[in-house]
Amino acid sequence: MNSRSDRLAAILVILPSLLLLAVFVYGFIGQTLWVSLTDWGQGAGALALNPQIHWVGLENYKSLFTGFLDVRFRQDMVNMVFFTVLFVGASLLLGLLLAILIDQHLPGEGVFRTIFLYPMSLSLVVTGTIWRWMLQPQGGINALPTLFGLPASNFLWMSSRTQILQFNWQALPAYLCWAGVAVLAVAACVYLVKGRHKTAAFFAAPALLLLALVAWGPAGRAALLPYPETHGFNLALLGIVLAAVWQMSGYTMALYLAGLRTIPDELREAARVDGASPLQVYRYVELPLLAPITWSAVIILGHIALKIFDLVFAMAGPDNASTSVPAISMYLTTFRGNQFATGAAIAVVLLLMVAALIIPYLASLLRPGRAQ
Amino acid sequence: MRTKLWVVLVMSVVMLLVSATALAASQPLSGKLEIFSWWAGDEGPALEALIKHFEKMYPNVQVINATVTGGSGVNARAVLKTRMLGGDPPDTFQVHAGQELIGTWVVAKRMENLNSLYKEEGWTKVFPAGLVKLLSTSQGIWSVPVNIHRSNVLWYIPENLKQWGVKVPATWQEFLEIAPKLKAKGIVPLSMGETWTAEHLWENVAISVLGPAKWQQLWQGKISFRSPEMLEVWKLFGEILKYTNQDAPSLSWQQATDMVVKGKAAFNVMGDWAAGYMNTTLHLRPGTDFGWAPAPGTKGIFVMLSDSFGLPVGAPHRATTLAWLRMLGSREAQDIFNPLKGSISPRLDSDLSKYNVYGQSAAKDWRSSTIVGSLVHGVVANERFMNDFATVMEIFLNSRNPQAAANASQAVATQDGIIH
Amino acid sequence: MRASAQERMGTAQGTIQAPETQAALPAGRAQAAPAMRTARRPRHGWTFAFLYALVVLLAIVYLIPVYMTVITSLKAPQDINLMTAWRPPAHPYWASYVQAFRQFAPTLRNSLILAVSATLLSAMMGSLNGYVLAKWGFRGSKWALPLILFGMFIPYQSILIPLFQFLRSVGLYGGLPGLILVHVVYGLPITTLLFHNFYVEIPDELLGSALIDGAEFFKIYRWIILPLSAPAFVVVGIWQFTQIWNEFLFAVTLTRPAFQPITVALANLAGGNAVYWNLPMAGSIIAALPTVLIYIFLGRYFIRGLLAGALKG
């Protein structure tokens, strides 16, 4: 099956798809990247037929992270991080719980599975519309306790201005360095325990270097801003997290359930014969086997969380800064503020964060023995 | 016999030619007309009535009603801008009269000026001079306004005020005296909705502090956003905010109005589309069931905003578009559109008998007040500033620090070309 | 024991394979298919009662939004207020459905044409691509799959303006053909991946035996691969149909009004100035119905799509 004409046919068949994707994905990203390095939108004629566009290098990125007026973008980034962590964490936990429950072969298992999974088939616009109604400050969820004779809750879903876990943006480089030190140190310790000293040293060296840099060097004192600027977790995001978890936790359930059901019964039996209680079987036999599933779920949910747009747009509206995320501010900056270059820069930042999550996964596809 | 036939033939051909040319000369306007807007839902019927009127005048024109909705007009802007960037303008599009049009499209040289249309139709005489000035640059007049809304209105329910023993405040100082009493009774003194309604309130506070002349100077870059007056605006605004509802950001403007109607709040500052909402949707009678006054400290001032349509350069159907614009400015069309939309006609000669009690009172004020433009609704500042001002408002709502807000707005104004 | 089991499960991408493998594999190759498992002994007593109560409670929580949507959609506008939001209507009010349906009729048609044709096209192209990548590796084909897959992760806002300009320059802006093209192109990564994973499991010997002389590329596809592909086509079809039906951003920005799909009509109903919630709620139900029905009746395939397409959200 390797005749020349066959190979030619194979290449000719896949060529149109490759060309389309080359243009629609890589070509268009390249164009956005180029726009992000210009000043398109700074001058008056941003929307002229032939707008005057100049190259400004990384200026737009610099101002996003350190500019006085781009404070909203920074809070949006913080919102996005908190949203991602909470949404992914809650979906995993709830999904695991649901999967374990379904795995008990309770009567009506199929019905329950259908119920937990149906939100996945809805459009985010539908979900957003429904939950906007559910989370009205004086009704819906807040009025739920009154059905049981309890006082109504008055939590301001989506509009609370309370911020917890506040931190100073000036100190961000230092925090990031410390986080880097922690990750590298943990990696080094893991390999040390495994007895792979060379690999451990490979991780330990940059950890020490970074530690020196942040503790005594410039990184510890470098401030992104000349003045303190606090950011934190907006409690208003909880409403969005709630709706998103409702929609996606059934999905993690399905992933885990499929995982649980590929575990051969002999393994469980063996553990039970050894005297393990059902809980112990889960803890020591099944959970470790589900670890790879957890990783792929993190990748999938994580990139959805980073890109989240429709849901916030439909639920809280584009102008609700407490629940805003970079995908929203990119849309507003570009199409309402006419700042095409800044909007493109936000898009590129977003793309880089998604890429940081996805590229390791894609690279794993290239490992020997996979994908031809 | 033969010659006769020949003559008849020639005669008929000539007749045919003549009638064809005559037909061509008087041929009614035909072709297409694409109207781009974000009017849907409650606002849809007014636009449809206009289109119906146009189709009656020009039965051979095929009107394409291109409405893009959602996200308070943001989606429509996204589509319009991508289309214009791609060199595919609609024939005409809805845009707030003033800087929203001028600062984006006129400076980009994407609009044709309408001077000759204004001259032919004599519109400079029927529209107030203050309005025409807001629609113009030194190069010309750029759009045809279809309606006028008033931004500086204070709404209340007379019955409720009587019950609470409260009078309508004429100034913000009076309001601040009344407010604690209302609050003590468990009533929200002033209801507010999502962020843009906070900006809406801010502009009315600012105009009451600055007065019309300085408000206009502010947008000409003649007054600093860090001046003592502007600090005073933010301070007063902060005081007033203390008497607004906590859940404001998750309420639409209608829900903020509902609070007043249901007696949960005493007052609401909103544009006069609120009158349309209370009258048409909630079936309340203007003047008796609900009342209004100029926003505190803005008596004799009419803070206006207006939806308008213009003529983009390169519009595919220029002739039909001009006919549409000509119709839009006519007294007849405006008196069809505005009673349905709940707005008033900018024309000084509109037929007031077609409007309800509120509309008549607004039209009276329109003809006698000092006209200034609204910030939030696109009249006095360009889109970029409007977008960035939302950030300034966020800074203030989170920090409640007048100095910080003043600094930020000065920086935004400098960056966005308000201050040169 | 742990380590060896983990190896069995494979790496992260291995697990993304795993469920799909057992679900959509030609019969006989699945190793631990659910059917082959002995059912666990049913529990009794308190543990059972507790677990059952928990699962019922959770099911109720998951159904609350449906309950709220349905009762709100059946209330007359003047009966809707936040205080009685949880109470069912005394008399169902169907007018909202009539009104919503009237507004939706043309957009339903658009959505149907769009979703069906884009699904078919992207499935056909994905099938061919998957076949090439799984069975006809060429120089650099190793890189092709990851490069193709990257296309489904990008935030679409980042390509919106160039996309728009491209569509306009080729004269496809505004109508359904343009939107179909967009959904086909951005659907290619996922369909290619699904078919690739499916075809990789078909043993090469099966292909080889049919090969007597050269130039068999299309014959093998037509007579061996395609007949085996039915389950994969169902999975891909359901997946793509759901995704395209539910999509909003492209729908709102790339079409002229006459060709807008239903999500846009819903945003139109619900967006901005919605005062009474009966109409948006009725609209939500109409817009959601096709995908929910597919899900209820073809749920098994839908779940396979979810698992197999684990990568797309």
Side-chain angles (χ1 to χ4, degrees):
Chain A
M1 55 192 275
N2 253 328
S3 84
R4 179 171 279 191
S5 63
D6 277 346
R7 272 195 291 173
L8 193 66
I11 290 177
L12 284 180
V13 159
I14 201 170
L15 201 61
S17 299
L18 292 180
L19 286 179
L20 280 173
L21 287 166
V23 172
F24 277 66
V25 176
Y26 297 96
F28 291 171
I29 287 177
Q31 201 170 337
T32 302
L33 187 64
W34 178 78
V35 167
S36 78
L37 300 172
T38 68
D39 68 345
W40 191 11
Q42 299 293 320
L47 284 149
L49 259 183
N50 292 303
Q52 292 272 311
I53 299 177
H54 308 96
W55 176 269
V56 295
L58 295 173
E59 210 44 51
N60 293 317
Y61 295 91
K62 200 178 138 203
S63 90
L64 280 179
F65 285 95
T66 62
F68 174 53
L69 291 172
D70 289 294
V71 48
R72 171 160 174 179
F73 168 76
R74 293 189 284 272
Q75 180 59 43
D76 286 355
M77 291 285 284
V78 175
N79 285 350
M80 180 182 77
V81 170
F82 278 110
F83 173 78
T84 304
V85 169
L86 278 176
F87 162 66
V88 173
S91 297
L92 289 179
L93 283 179
L94 199 57
L96 184 61
L97 175 70
L98 294 175
I100 290 176
L101 284 174
I102 296 281
D103 197 38
Q104 303 304 314
H105 296 280
L106 300 169
E109 170 193 329
V111 175
F112 289 121
R113 197 175 50 198
T114 306
I115 290 173
F116 295 139
L117 198 52
Y118 84 91
M120 256 307 277
S121 69
L122 299 180
S123 161
L124 286 168
V125 178
V126 171
T127 307
T129 309
I130 294 175
W131 280 90
R132 200 169 89 198
W133 170 236
M134 303 269 300
L135 297 180
Q136 290 290 306
Q138 282 146 29
I141 297 287
N142 275 354
L144 190 56
T146 60
L147 294 183
F148 306 101
L150 299 167
S153 149
N154 59 3
F155 183 69
L156 297 174
W157 303 97
M158 301 188 294
S159 56
S160 160
R161 284 194 179 272
T162 315
Q163 215 174 48
I164 57 169
L165 299 175
Q166 288 184 322
F167 68 94
N168 185 354
W169 186 263
Q170 284 179 305
L172 194 67
Y175 290 147
L176 286 178
C177 286
W178 283 114
V181 169
V183 169
L184 290 168
V186 167
C189 290
V190 166
Y191 283 107
L192 201 65
V193 170
K194 281 188 180 174
R196 293 171 62 180
H197 297 279
K198 261 190 191 160
T199 324
F202 180 75
F203 282 107
L208 287 174
L209 197 70
L210 208 55
L211 185 68
L213 212 65
V214 63
W216 301 288
R221 289 192 303 273
L224 285 172
L225 293 168
Y227 49 87
E229 181 181 287
T230 50
H231 292 284
F233 171 50
N234 286 326
L235 289 185
L237 278 170
L238 286 175
I240 313 280
V241 172
L242 189 64
V245 169
W246 175 77
Q247 179 151 43
M248 300 295 292
S249 54
Y251 172 70
T252 37
M253 173 200 74
L255 278 183
Y256 277 128
L257 198 56
L260 283 173
R261 296 200 163 166
T262 54
I263 298 173
D265 267 358
E266 303 88 75
L267 267 178
R268 294 199 188 88
E269 278 311 319
R272 245 171 260 155
V273 169
D274 290 346
S277 73
L279 270 182
Q280 281 171 322
V281 174
Y282 272 111
R283 171 67 189 83
Y284 294 106
V285 180
E286 310 204 349
L287 281 188
L289 292 175
L290 294 178
I293 291 196
T294 306
W295 279 117
S296 44
V298 165
I299 289 169
I300 297 148
L301 297 178
H303 101 274
I304 293 172
L306 294 177
K307 293 197 307 197
I308 193 90
F309 174 79
D310 301 16
L311 184 66
V312 183
F313 201 90
M315 248 181 108
D319 285 314
N320 192 357
S322 309
T323 56
S324 181
V325 289
I328 299 252
S329 61
M330 181 266 163
Y331 199 67
L332 292 183
T333 311
T334 306
F335 294 120
R336 197 163 61 189
N338 303 334
Q339 299 299 293
F340 295 96
T342 311
I346 299 177
V348 171
V349 171
L350 206 55
L351 193 66
L352 287 177
M353 302 202 52
V354 171
L357 197 63
I358 290 304
I359 286 180
Y361 161 74
L362 293 180
S364 73
L365 279 185
L366 282 173
R367 269 187 222 151
R370 293 283 316 138
Q372 269 291 316
Chain B
M1 186 71 187
R2 259 183 105 179
T3 37
K4 213 173 175 183
L5 190 71
W6 197 79
V7 168
V8 169
L9 210 73
V10 169
M11 283 287 282
S12 49
V13 167
V14 168
M15 291 239 323
L16 207 73
L17 275 175
V18 166
S19 57
T21 357
L23 204 70
S26 73
Q27 195 174 26
L29 192 65
S30 68
K32 287 181 182 173
L33 171 70
E34 190 191 9
I35 303 162
F36 186 93
S37 78
W38 59 87
W39 278 329
D42 293 347
E43 295 163 322
L47 178 64
E48 275 155 30
L50 265 189
I51 292 175
K52 221 168 263 168
H53 182 61
F54 183 77
E55 283 169 336
K56 216 180 285 165
M57 291 169 72
Y58 304 99
N60 294 332
V61 176
Q62 186 198 345
V63 178
I64 304 162
N65 176 6
T67 309
V68 175
T69 56
S72 42
V74 185
N75 290 336
R77 288 190 174 99
V79 175
L80 180 64
K81 279 167 194 169
T82 38
R83 283 186 63 173
M84 294 288 269
L85 281 174
D88 176 35
D91 290 317
T92 184
F93 55 87
Q94 175 196 357
V95 64
H96 282 137
Q99 290 300 318
E100 186 175 312
L101 173 70
I102 293 167
T104 304
W105 302 111
V106 174
V107 294
K109 301 195 169 56
R110 301 299 294 271
M111 304 303 290
E112 285 191 33
N113 84 47
L114 302 172
N115 293 359
S116 56
L117 192 63
Y118 269 73
K119 200 184 266 173
E120 282 165 33
E121 299 290 318
W123 286 341
T124 43
K125 295 193 188 73
V126 291
F127 295 137
L131 172 66
V132 175
K133 206 172 139 199
L134 288 168
L135 299 172
S136 317
T137 65
S138 57
Q139 267 89 46
I141 311 173
W142 300 101
S143 64
V144 180
V146 264
N147 63 4
I148 293 293
H149 275 297
R150 186 177 193 177
S151 145
N152 60 324
V153 190
L154 184 74
W155 306 95
Y156 56 87
I157 305 293
E159 192 70 16
N160 290 347
L161 293 196
K162 206 186 286 169
Q163 196 186 323
W164 299 324
V166 169
K167 272 200 281 184
V168 179
T171 65
W172 286 112
Q173 285 319 318
E174 281 181 39
F175 171 80
L176 291 175
E177 282 159 26
I178 300 169
K181 292 178 209 154
L182 286 166
K183 206 175 179 181
K185 289 181 186 161
I187 297 151
V188 174
L190 186 69
S191 70
M192 206 171 78
E194 52 194 315
T195 312
W196 74 262
T197 68
E199 292 169 42
H200 186 109
L201 178 63
W202 182 88
E203 84 178 12
N204 281 305
V205 173
I207 291 168
S208 80
V209 172
L210 298 175
K214 282 190 173 173
W215 174 254
Q216 273 152 356
Q217 286 169 15
L218 184 69
W219 303 108
Q220 291 157 356
K222 291 177 187 158
I223 294 181
S224 164
F225 283 79
R226 276 195 299 230
S227 62
E229 298 102 304
M230 290 307 289
L231 264 176
E232 181 52 41
V233 168
W234 285 107
K235 269 184 205 151
L236 178 59
F237 180 61
E239 283 303 307
I240 295 165
L241 278 188
K242 288 179 186 159
Y243 298 104
T244 57
N245 45 317
Q246 282 262 303
D247 57 357
S250 56
L251 301 187
S252 64
W253 68 264
Q254 290 98 331
Q255 287 172 305
T257 309
D258 285 344
M259 288 179 69
V260 175
V261 171
K262 286 179 184 157
K264 285 182 186 163
F267 300 103
N268 176 234
V269 172
M270 190 34 61
D272 56 12
W273 42 93
Y277 171 63
M278 287 187 274
N279 186 219
T280 316
T281 313
L282 302 182
H283 308 295
L284 301 177
R285 281 164 303 163
T288 45
D289 293 342
F290 68 91
W292 63 89
T298 63
K299 194 166 191 284
I301 304 172
F302 195 108
V303 184
M304 62 81 69
L305 58 120
S306 165
D307 292 296
S308 70
F309 286 83
L311 177 60
V313 173
H317 312 98
R318 195 170 178 276
T320 51
T321 311
L322 279 170
W324 165 258
L325 294 176
R326 207 180 293 275
M327 181 211 75
L328 278 187
S330 71
R331 183 176 163 203
E332 202 184 352
Q334 299 219 329
D335 286 343
I336 290 172
F337 179 82
N338 286 301
L340 287 171
K341 172 86 164 67
S343 45
I344 58 168
S345 165
R347 290 181 69 113
L348 297 171
D349 60 353
S350 77
D351 179 2
L352 291 186
S353 67
K354 292 187 171 152
Y355 296 80
N356 68 16
V357 185
Y358 173 77
Q360 289 168 1
S361 116
K364 214 179 89 211
D365 288 346
W366 171 245
R367 290 165 196 192
S368 62
S369 309
T370 313
I371 296 172
V372 297
S374 153
L375 160 67
V376 190
H377 305 283
V379 185
V380 291
N382 59 43
E383 285 188 303
R384 188 177 175 192
F385 182 88
M386 282 157 61
N387 191 52
D388 289 342
F389 191 70
T391 306
V392 174
M393 187 53 75
E394 275 307 314
I395 292 175
F396 184 75
L397 291 177
N398 284 325
S399 70
R400 301 289 165 115
N401 180 343
Q403 189 66 54
N407 290 348
S409 46
Q410 175 76 7
V412 164
T414 313
Q415 176 189 283
D416 299 353
I418 303 286
I419 298 166
H420 304 287
Chain C
M1 181 186 76
R2 267 168 74 175
S4 72
Q6 236 156 2
E7 264 158 40
R8 271 177 41 86
M9 296 291 290
T11 49
Q13 21 86 7
T15 45
I16 288 170
Q17 295 272 297
E20 192 262 342
T21 309
Q22 51 147 306
L25 197 69
R29 296 247 315 170
Q31 290 175 342
M36 294 173 65
R37 272 187 75 211
T38 48
R40 210 173 284 184
R41 254 171 277 134
R43 295 164 199 274
H44 288 290
W46 288 112
T47 324
F48 175 83
F50 172 74
L51 289 176
Y52 211 76
L54 188 61
V55 84
V56 168
L57 184 75
L58 281 166
I60 291 173
V61 169
Y62 271 74
L63 285 173
I64 281 177
V66 177
Y67 170 76
M68 292 288 276
T69 310
V70 171
I71 62 163
T72 310
S73 72
L74 288 174
K75 286 179 185 177
Q78 64 273 17
D79 295 339
I80 298 176
N81 83 59
L82 287 166
M83 280 300 137
T84 59
W86 289 87
R87 255 173 251 161
H91 308 284
Y93 174 86
W94 295 99
S96 339
Y97 282 90
V98 176
Q99 196 184 341
F101 195 78
R102 197 174 301 140
Q103 287 195 27
F104 280 5
T107 58
L108 274 169
R109 189 183 130 270
N110 291 337
S111 273
L112 204 64
I113 296 174
L114 167 73
V116 168
S117 40
T119 301
L120 286 179
L121 279 171
S122 64
M124 264 149 50
M125 289 178 76
S127 165
L128 284 166
N129 293 343
Y131 168 56
V132 170
L133 291 175
K135 298 296 173 200
W136 296 90
F138 50 89
R139 263 186 69 191
S141 69
K142 184 177 118 153
W143 293 88
L145 192 60
L147 285 175
I148 289 175
L149 286 189
F150 189 65
M152 70 194 193
F153 298 112
I154 57 171
Y156 293 131
Q157 288 89 352
S158 65
I159 46 93
L160 200 58
I161 293 179
L163 174 65
F164 181 92
Q165 288 170 326
F166 177 85
L167 285 181
R168 227 201 74 74
S169 68
V170 297
L172 283 176
Y173 167 78
L176 284 177
L179 197 56
I180 290 171
L181 172 73
V182 169
H183 279 296
V184 169
V185 173
Y186 291 108
L188 281 178
I190 184 72
T191 56
T192 303
L193 174 76
L194 294 184
F195 280 107
H196 168 268
N197 289 357
F198 184 80
Y199 294 148
V200 159
E201 301 294 335
I202 296 177
D204 281 356
E205 306 87 66
L206 217 62
L207 273 55
S209 67
L211 250 190
I212 294 153
D213 44 20
E216 291 298 316
F217 178 84
F218 289 106
K219 275 189 191 161
I220 292 175
Y221 180 74
R222 171 67 188 83
W223 298 109
I224 298 172
I225 298 287
L226 204 55
L228 288 173
S229 302
F233 268 100
V234 174
V235 168
V236 168
I238 290 174
W239 180 260
Q240 279 294 87
F241 185 88
T242 315
Q243 293 297 311
I244 296 168
W245 186 275
N246 288 340
E247 199 276 340
F248 178 68
L249 184 68
F250 289 148
V252 73
T253 47
L254 299 179
T255 50
R256 296 229 166 93
F259 301 104
Q260 279 167 345
I262 191 151
T263 42
V264 180
L266 176 63
N268 182 346
L269 259 187
N273 297 340
V275 179
Y276 295 124
W277 286 81
N278 55 321
L279 203 53
M281 291 295 144
S284 295
I285 289 177
I286 295 177
L289 215 53
T291 50
V292 172
L293 284 180
I294 287 180
Y295 168 67
I296 289 174
F297 288 111
L298 297 168
R300 283 187 16 225
Y301 291 102
F302 185 86
I303 292 175
R304 285 178 201 173
L306 281 186
L307 299 174
L311 285 173
K312 172 106 182 185

